[in-house]
Amino acid sequence: MTGTRTGGARESSPGAAPAGAASGPADREGPKPGRGGRATVQKAKILLVDDRPENLLALEAILSALDQTLVRASSGEEALKALLTDDFAVILLDVQMPGMDGFETAAHIKRRERTRDIPIIFLTAINHGPHHTFRGYAAGAVDYISKPFDPWVLRAKVSVFVELYMKNCQLREQASLLRLQLEGSEKDAGESKESAGLLAELSARLAAVEEQAEALTKQLNDESTDAAAVATAAHLERKLTGLRRALDALDPGTGSASSLPSQN
């Protein structure tokens, strides 16, 4: 099994690129938007924390069948450093480690807003009884497993948390897409409302001009003074009629026939 170094932690996954190779977008965790806005699910990351290399190797052998990205950390400090930059589906944390032990590491993880919701499975080679187990749960662990453990049971427990993580990632992606669609709809609705208000104002102003033009035409016809003035007024009315039809065509809620000015 090959791996790469990421933030002081060793990262490995089945079929991974050779050591030292730069990771591409496809290596990152969580779902990514695919064609047509659909989310393409990528591999989740699982953090393995143990100060003994042989224990990390054993965990990798057990969990490799899940086909997810496995990230090694040989100390609590390395684990916290890896958690600064990457998102993880679950953390397998050894209790007995020199320096910062598993309980202290878990306390730091739970204090950080970014990492407080990541499930932690404690692994320990020493069973100190119910009090020790209670301390593990009090530190924020979702499970507490004593070594030697059944590989099938451990793999099944981890797979459940991986599946939950992937579902949550998909829900977040769908929520993000829905939010973008709603924002677009609200923007379109706002623009439509603004356009409707502008059309109403133009229609009101045009109606006032139409009324004045009709009164002028009637007055000129009654007085029969200047033929040129009468012709100009009639031409103005025709222009106003064309404007009214054009304006009514822009407003789907108004019938053009009913909006034509009176020709009496």
Side-chain angles (χ1 to χ4, degrees):
M1 185 175 295
T2 59
T4 58
R5 286 279 178 176
T6 306
R10 182 175 177 82
E11 179 179 321
S12 61
S13 61
S23 61
D27 298 326
R28 299 185 180 275
E29 70 289 339
K32 305 296 179 183
R35 183 175 300 177
R38 293 183 178 179
T40 303
V41 178
Q42 302 296 329
K43 294 181 179 181
K45 287 188 175 182
I46 303 170
L47 183 58
L48 313 177
V49 189
D50 199 306
D51 62 302
R52 300 177 66 87
E54 61 271 22
N55 290 342
L56 292 172
L57 187 61
L59 288 174
E60 287 180 340
I62 293 170
L63 300 177
S64 61
L66 298 179
D67 194 28
Q68 305 299 327
T69 301
L70 308 177
V71 180
R72 285 187 177 193
S74 59
S75 66
E77 291 83 0
E78 277 192 15
L80 294 177
K81 190 178 297 184
L83 287 163
L84 288 174
T85 55
D86 292 325
D87 294 325
F88 292 90
V90 61
I91 302 170
L92 274 63
L93 181 58
D94 184 39
V95 173
Q96 302 292 331
M97 293 188 297
M100 186 184 297
D101 65 10
F103 295 127
E104 187 178 354
T105 303
H108 283 289
I109 293 173
K110 293 302 178 180
R111 275 199 295 265
R112 294 178 179 176
E113 184 176 357
R114 172 187 172 92
T115 58
R116 65 178 53 169
D117 294 326
I118 302 177
I120 299 174
I121 298 177
F122 272 132
L123 304 175
T124 180
I126 303 175
N127 188 355
H128 294 286
H131 176 73
H132 202 66
T133 303
F134 175 77
R135 186 183 175 191
Y137 287 117
V142 296
D143 209 340
Y144 194 96
I145 302 177
S146 298
K147 303 174 185 177
F149 43 76
D150 187 334
W152 293 93
V153 172
L154 179 63
R155 186 162 51 240
K157 289 176 181 289
V158 172
S159 68
V160 170
F161 291 112
V162 168
E163 185 176 356
L164 288 173
Y165 171 81
M166 302 300 272
K167 293 295 184 183
N168 285 333
C169 287
Q170 292 176 16
L171 287 174
R172 284 197 298 269
E173 178 67 23
Q174 292 172 359
S176 177
L177 292 174
L178 179 59
R179 184 166 55 252
L180 290 175
Q181 292 175 355
L182 289 175
E183 289 175 355
S185 298
E186 290 175 356
K187 182 180 179 181
D188 292 343
E191 292 177 350
S192 178
K193 186 176 181 180
E194 183 178 355
S195 298
L198 181 60
L199 286 174
E201 182 179 354
L202 290 175
S203 179
R205 293 186 179 184
L206 180 58
V209 175
E210 289 171 337
E211 184 178 353
Q212 293 175 3
E214 184 179 357
L216 177 61
T217 300
K218 184 177 181 181
Q219 180 181 355
L220 290 174
N221 287 334
D222 291 342
E223 296 177 356
S224 301
T225 52
D226 190 348
V230 173
T232 301
H235 178 71
L236 176 60
E237 273 204 286
R238 288 194 297 271
K239 289 292 185 180
L240 290 175
T241 300
L243 285 175
R244 169 60 65 186
R245 287 174 176 169
L247 189 61
D248 289 345
L250 293 175
D251 187 359
T254 304
S256 58
S258 62
S259 300
L260 292 178
S262 174
Q263 300 298 321
N264 293 335

